[in-house]
């Protein structure tokens, strides 16, 4: 048994980048599954504000500070139990940037070349006739290594994230494996223990949740400015934002295709299987988009009212 392995699948860890106001994608991808896992018996949880990651996307300190406060408030409102969970700022842990460098030195540059976010930036540049790396910072390039350090520093077993982050978790595993292979023997000799330096982490993905689409159908992301905020602006803002979800132009009475509808995909992330089947059937039978939006609004409201403290709904 690994010396620093604290038991099967016991440690759960996740972070949220502090660049914007928390949205439904953060909630279904990270917050809801992480809080559920933190309540399992025998689990140790580590949830953090990824403010070093924020520097890759934003150079505005006021924005990062505000986001950090909003995301912290959201975790607490949604049921984080500070007695059971270690809750921290990434930038308070000096060992994370330190470990980042040690991992950098065992990470193949080719691995980072294949990261989706970096590749997307390069593809965009090439399509625009620019230099392949135009506007790409070394920070963006190194993003997966910093994320690996976040996870490996705590030897986390399970990492609740949205599907778009699976590649990053796989990279963390690759990096851990490489480090274990290169330095495992020296580590065992120096520390006088058995086992590997690093646990290989696994992504924890909610089966019912595909990558949550945003208003325009692309992944819900601050970077695309297509998010539905969780609390900002309260009920009114939630209703208004849901009203802006893009749908096709089929009129009430015309059959609609749920598989093509991101409104339906968002609904599914909040609804039970029965509720989802009911909306599916109603859309096929011609339910109007306006009414479907009202159903989504009510379902999200109900979930937030049930699971999250009402005090934050200002
Ligand atoms: N990359 C994650 C996101 O943008 C945030 C993050 C940073 C993270 N470090 C992490 C998530 C470590 C899980 C584990 O959503």
């Amino acid at each position: 048994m690994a010396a620093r392995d604290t038991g099967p699948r016991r440690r759960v860890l996740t972070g949220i980048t502090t660049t914007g106001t928390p949205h439904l994608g953060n909630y279904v991808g990270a917050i809801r599954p992480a809080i559920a896992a933190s309540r399992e018996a025998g689990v140790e949880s580590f949830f953090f504000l990824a403010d070093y990651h924020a520097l890759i996307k934003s150079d505005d300190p006021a924005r990062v500070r505000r986001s950090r406060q909003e995301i912290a408030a959201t975790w607490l409102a949604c049921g984080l139990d500070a007695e059971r969970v270690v809750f921290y700022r990434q930038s308070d842990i000096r060992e994370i940037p330190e470990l980042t460098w040690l991992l950098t030195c065992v990470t193949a540059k080719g691995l980072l070349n294949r990261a989706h976010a970096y590749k997307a930036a390069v593809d965009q540049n090439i399509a625009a006739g620019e230099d392949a790396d135009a506007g790409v910072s070394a920070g963006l390039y190194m993003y997966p290594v910093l994320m690996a350090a976040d996870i490996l520093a705590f030897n986390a077993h399970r990492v609740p994230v949205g599907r778009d982050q699976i590649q990053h978790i796989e990279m963390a595993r690759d990096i851990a494996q490489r480090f274990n292979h290169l330095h495992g023997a020296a580590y065992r000799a120096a520390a006088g223990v058995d086992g590997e330096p690093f646990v290989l982490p696994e992504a924890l993905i909610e089966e019912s949740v595909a990558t949550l689409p945003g208003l325009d159908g692309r992944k819900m992301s601050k970077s695309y400015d297509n998010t539905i905020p969780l609390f900002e602006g309260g009920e009114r803002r939630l209703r208004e934002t849901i009203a802006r979800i893009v749908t096709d132009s089929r009129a009430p009475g015309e059959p609609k295709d749920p598989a093509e509808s991101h409104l339906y995909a968002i609904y599914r992330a909040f609804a039970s299987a029965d509720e989802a089947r009911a909306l599916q059937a109603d859309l096929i039978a011609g339910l109007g988009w306006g009414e479907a939006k009202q159903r989504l609004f009510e379902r999200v409201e109900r979930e937030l009212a049930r699971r999250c403290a009402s005090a934050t709904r200002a």
Side-chain angles (χ1 to χ4, degrees):
M1 197 181 108
R4 293 175 64 205
D5 186 336
T6 44
R9 296 162 59 80
R10 272 192 64 193
R11 285 202 165 183
V12 174
L13 174 144
T14 196
I16 296 176
T17 305
T18 55
T19 39
T21 198
H23 56 76
L24 298 189
N26 301 134
Y27 177 76
V28 300
I31 297 173
R32 186 174 64 186
I35 291 196
S38 76
R39 292 185 173 146
E40 291 168 21
V43 159
E44 294 174 321
S45 311
F46 299 83
F47 302 157
F48 67 97
L49 304 159
D51 52 355
Y52 278 144
H53 278 98
L55 299 181
I56 295 167
K57 295 179 188 158
S58 171
D59 55 11
D60 176 357
R63 177 168 175 192
V64 173
R65 187 176 317 112
R66 185 179 160 81
S67 170
R68 201 160 56 193
Q69 287 167 349
E70 287 182 355
I71 294 174
T74 299
W75 274 109
L76 295 169
C78 295
L80 180 142
D81 178 352
E83 299 289 316
R84 292 181 63 126
V85 173
V86 183
F87 187 42
Y88 55 98
R89 279 200 317 205
Q90 184 186 33
S91 62
D92 279 337
I93 315 284
R94 298 283 165 84
E95 288 83 354
I96 290 173
E98 186 180 342
L99 181 58
T100 300
W101 180 250
L102 300 179
L103 298 178
T104 299
C105 294
V106 303
T107 301
K109 180 167 176 287
L111 182 78
L112 301 179
N113 288 340
R114 291 191 288 276
H116 299 320
Y118 170 66
K119 263 176 46 185
V122 167
D123 290 348
Q124 241 178 29
N125 279 334
I126 291 172
E130 304 261 5
D131 179 80
D133 282 325
V136 175
S137 70
L140 174 66
Y141 192 68
M142 294 292 297
Y143 186 111
V145 187
L146 177 58
M147 185 155 159
D150 289 330
I151 299 168
L152 303 182
F154 291 89
N155 270 331
H157 301 95
R158 286 186 289 166
V159 186
V161 281
R163 275 178 204 276
D164 60 296
Q165 297 291 316
I166 291 177
Q167 189 195 33
H168 290 144
I169 312 296
E170 285 168 354
M171 288 181 157
R173 283 176 74 89
D174 283 353
I175 295 169
Q177 231 154 4
R178 180 96 186 119
F179 190 99
N180 288 349
H181 174 72
L182 288 172
H183 300 302
Y187 162 81
R188 284 184 286 277
V193 293
D194 294 332
E196 301 292 354
F198 293 123
V199 165
L200 306 186
E202 273 173 40
L204 176 64
I205 305 285
E206 272 212 17
E207 283 314 318
S208 67
V209 184
T211 297
L212 201 74
L215 298 176
D216 56 359
R218 292 185 295 172
K219 170 199 162 192
M220 188 178 290
S221 165
K222 296 165 270 220
S223 325
Y224 296 143
D225 197 20
N226 66 355
T227 64
I228 303 177
L230 259 177
F231 297 120
E232 194 188 53
E235 208 182 293
R236 188 156 151 228
R237 176 83 185 278
L238 182 66
R239 186 190 290 279
E240 285 166 2
T241 317
I242 286 176
R244 284 176 27 229
I245 297 175
V246 176
T247 60
D248 63 30
S249 55
R250 276 165 233 245
E254 280 185 75
K256 319 217 167 26
D257 182 1
E260 289 292 311
S261 158
H262 21 284
L263 186 147
Y264 178 70
I266 300 171
Y267 186 81
R268 238 181 17 203
F270 286 87
S272 68
D274 282 347
E275 289 167 328
R277 265 193 299 275
L279 182 62
Q280 186 179 38
D282 291 347
L283 285 171
I284 293 169
L287 183 77
W289 288 122
E291 276 174 76
K293 286 176 174 177
Q294 176 64 21
R295 285 229 315 241
L296 173 62
F297 166 74
E298 284 168 10
R299 190 64 192 81
V300 173
E301 267 290 301
R302 186 145 59 86
E303 164 119 350
L304 299 183
R306 191 161 58 91
R307 301 213 199 205
C308 304
S310 53
T312 51
R313 313 231 60 202

